[in-house]
Amino acid sequence: MTIRGHLFFSFLLLTSVVHFLSAFSCPCADVRWCDTIEGPPIRQGREIYGFLGSWVHTNSLPLGQDINWTHVTTVAWADRDEIMCLAHQHGARAIIGAPKIENLTALADPLQRRNWIQNALDQVLQTHRDGIVFDYEEPLPIHSLEGRVYAKLIAETRIVFHQINPSFQITTCVPW
């Protein structure tokens, strides 16, 4: 086996151990709700996102009770465990925001990118989420180094996440 093969096998083994151990930290009333959602969206051909976060929830209803679970297939910015449990209870995915990108140009280095992706994957596995949403708010000139690095980061994140679970969702918000 090549060194690359050994590294990939070690990566998969470590990721499996992290996922196994995180099952013991399920915050839901029913441990099955901590399982990630597998397969295609619950309403094929009709993906409907719900956006929720501490910055959105301002009404008097209990958290998540203002979401129409008969339509929503994915809840983005599901940073609270209650939302993940509710989403999974209703067969919908719960994805978190991608980890903060401190220095996009530093991610031109493949090792830095790999570390960022591993950190993102660890967060998803440890919190029982179904993927991440990229929402980088800085303007990126069309042919800039930063734009190319950002596109590469998203593509490589998708590849790594799908090696672990083909159902993990990688979403990108794009500006205007």
Side-chain angles (χ1 to χ4, degrees):
M1 187 180 280
T2 66
I3 290 179
R4 185 177 183 161
H6 284 291
L7 288 174
F8 180 69
F9 176 75
S10 298
F11 171 76
L12 287 178
L13 182 61
L14 177 63
T15 302
S16 298
V17 169
V18 167
H19 184 65
F20 175 76
L21 293 176
S22 70
F24 292 110
S25 65
C26 177
C28 302
D30 185 330
V31 73
R32 292 175 298 171
W33 298 337
C34 282
D35 293 340
T36 55
I37 302 298
E38 301 290 329
I42 54 176
R43 283 166 233 6
Q44 289 189 21
R46 200 163 172 195
E47 186 80 37
I48 299 178
Y49 282 74
F51 293 92
L52 186 71
S54 56
W55 48 271
V56 171
H57 188 73
T58 57
N59 64 30
S60 59
L61 291 173
L63 190 63
Q65 297 304 313
D66 50 355
I67 295 174
N68 185 341
W69 294 108
T70 61
H71 297 292
V72 171
T73 58
T74 299
V75 176
W77 290 289
D79 58 343
R80 300 200 31 199
D81 289 336
E82 303 98 309
I83 294 301
M84 179 273 298
C85 297
L86 272 170
H88 287 176
Q89 178 184 359
H90 290 83
R93 287 181 168 82
I95 60 176
I96 56 175
K100 185 174 172 100
I101 298 172
E102 297 293 337
N103 180 351
L104 192 54
T105 53
L107 293 178
D109 174 23
L111 180 60
Q112 293 293 324
R113 239 183 357 267
R114 207 168 312 130
N115 289 338
W116 187 96
I117 293 167
Q118 182 62 53
N119 176 48
L121 181 60
D122 289 346
Q123 285 182 29
V124 166
L125 292 173
Q126 291 169 5
T127 62
H128 313 283
R129 298 315 194 268
D130 303 290
I132 61 174
V133 56
F134 283 88
D135 191 17
Y136 189 68
E137 295 289 340
E138 301 299 318
L140 296 173
I142 215 162
H143 295 291
S144 67
L145 170 65
E146 293 88 357
R148 291 190 308 273
V149 169
Y150 189 54
K152 190 176 277 196
L153 177 66
I154 294 168
E156 289 177 8
T157 299
R158 181 183 176 279
I159 289 167
V160 170
F161 273 53
H162 285 178
Q163 287 173 340
I164 303 303
N165 182 343
S167 295
F168 275 152
Q169 191 171 46
I170 308 303
T171 305
T172 306
C173 295
V174 293
W176 57 99

